[in-house]
């Protein structure tokens, strides 16, 4: 375990479903991130939360909705996704925007059918 | 914005061969540099990092990287790879505001 726990590990959902990805960190970090990892593409930063406030939203479609209720938890709410949204979704955390590096979770493998 | 380039997309080596993966970044200011590794089916984990001081840094599992400021490079090396080094390797750079990742290099080591 890395100290960053993501659930579920795998998720298959239909395009009309609503689901949520969960991330929890036990490291006392004050920043959390959602990344999308697709095959043969660079890691895409989706959202950044620092001290529970969203500080970055990289032109992510509104069908992805993040939520950060406290500094230890981060959610990604999904609705009406498209097949091209199938990917590995990674959560990461850091102290002070990552000057010392990020700690990643194991990811959620999402398949949209 | 920063950019991070990893020139080798896929590398195939035999066991005991030497490895060097290239990484170049674009930012001219102060940066911290990282190499992450992702073994098949596993999370991204830190291999090594450079903050300051000796430009040759040693990481886990026999990996090392050399920071050459004049070339904006941070190449990863290992003198003798093993089958267990088969993984995806990511170079990353932070300027203190944001992390920037390279596209990754897939390494396959043949026994």
């Amino acid at each position: 375990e890395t100290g960053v726990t993501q659930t579920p590990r795998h998720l298959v959902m239909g395009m009309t479903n609503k689901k949520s990805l969960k991330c929890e960190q036990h490291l006392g970090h004050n920043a959390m991130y959602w990344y999308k990892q697709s095959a043969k593409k660079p890691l895409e930063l989706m959202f950044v939360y620092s001290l529970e406030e969203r500080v970055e939203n990289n032109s992510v479609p509104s069908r992805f909705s993040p939520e950060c209720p406290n500094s230890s938890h981060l959610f990604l709410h999904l609705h009406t996704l498209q097949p091209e949204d199938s990917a590995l979704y990674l959560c990461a955390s850091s102290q002070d925007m990552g000057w010392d590096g990020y700690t990643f979770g194991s990811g959620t493998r999402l398949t949209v059918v | 914005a920063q950019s991070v380039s990893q020139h080798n997309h896929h590398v195939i080596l035999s066991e005991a061969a030497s490895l060097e993966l290239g990484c170049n970044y674009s930012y001219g200011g102060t940066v911290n540099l990282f190499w992450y590794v992702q073994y098949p089916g596993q999370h991204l984990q830190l291999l090594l990092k450079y903050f300051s001081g000796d430009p040759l840094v040693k990481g886990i599992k026999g990996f090392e990287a050399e920071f050459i400021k004049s070339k904006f490079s941070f190449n990863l090396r290992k003198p003798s790879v093993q089958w267990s080094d088969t993984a995806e390797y990511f170079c990353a750079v932070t300027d203190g505001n944001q992390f920037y990742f390279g596209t990754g290099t897939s390494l396959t080591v043949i026994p």
Side-chain angles (χ1 to χ4, degrees):
Chain A
E1 285 299 325
T2 69
V4 179
T5 304
Q6 289 188 245
T7 54
R9 293 293 299 272
H10 300 273
L11 178 63
V12 179
M13 59 186 289
M15 289 189 283
T16 58
N17 291 158
K18 288 184 181 181
K19 297 287 184 182
S20 295
L21 310 185
K22 180 182 177 181
C23 177
E24 185 174 357
Q25 60 98 0
H26 311 278
L27 302 167
H29 288 165
N30 57 15
M32 296 185 77
Y33 312 81
W34 280 117
Y35 277 87
K36 178 182 178 182
Q37 186 178 27
S38 306
K40 303 190 189 307
K41 292 178 70 175
L43 280 161
E44 299 174 50
L45 178 63
M46 300 176 72
F47 300 104
V48 180
Y49 276 84
S50 177
L51 300 172
E52 301 153 44
E53 287 191 22
R54 191 190 311 181
V55 296
E56 187 139 355
N57 174 357
N58 275 0
S59 303
V60 179
S62 59
R63 56 186 183 269
F64 295 92
S65 174
E67 178 190 1
C68 187
N70 56 62
S71 60
S72 299
H73 293 85
L74 185 65
F75 295 90
L76 188 61
H77 304 299
L78 316 170
H79 64 98
T80 59
L81 294 192
Q82 305 298 311
E84 60 264 28
D85 297 322
S86 298
L88 181 67
Y89 288 84
L90 294 168
C91 175
S93 71
S94 73
Q95 188 63 26
D96 298 334
M97 300 305 290
W99 191 239
D100 197 35
Y102 285 8
T103 301
F104 284 88
S106 299
T108 294
R109 174 67 63 186
L110 173 68
T111 303
V112 181
V113 297
Chain B
Q2 275 261 29
S3 67
V4 180
S5 300
Q6 289 183 244
H7 314 296
N8 318 102
H9 296 294
H10 194 180
V11 173
I12 302 174
L13 295 172
S14 298
E15 273 194 319
S18 64
L19 170 72
E20 180 159 2
L21 302 182
C23 173
N24 287 90
Y25 62 96
S26 61
Y27 185 64
T30 301
V31 294
N32 284 358
L33 300 150
F34 307 82
W35 275 97
Y36 282 84
V37 60
Q38 188 175 30
Y39 297 105
Q42 295 192 29
H43 60 274
L44 275 147
Q45 53 187 293
L46 185 65
L47 203 52
L48 49 78
K49 58 187 178 184
Y50 172 79
F51 288 177
S52 63
D54 189 344
L56 184 64
V57 292
K58 296 189 184 299
I60 60 172
K61 303 185 181 184
F63 286 91
E64 64 180 31
E66 185 176 12
F67 170 53
I68 302 179
K69 189 174 182 179
S70 60
K71 295 185 178 180
F72 297 91
S73 70
F74 190 55
N75 292 355
L76 181 71
R77 299 196 293 249
K78 185 171 183 177
S80 175
V81 294
Q82 301 171 319
W83 174 79
S84 57
D85 293 324
T86 294
E88 190 94 14
Y89 293 81
F90 294 90
C91 181
V93 174
T94 180
D95 56 9
N97 290 316
Q98 192 169 328
F99 238 62
Y100 301 89
F101 284 92
T103 52
T105 297
S106 174
L107 171 66
T108 302
V109 180
I110 302 170

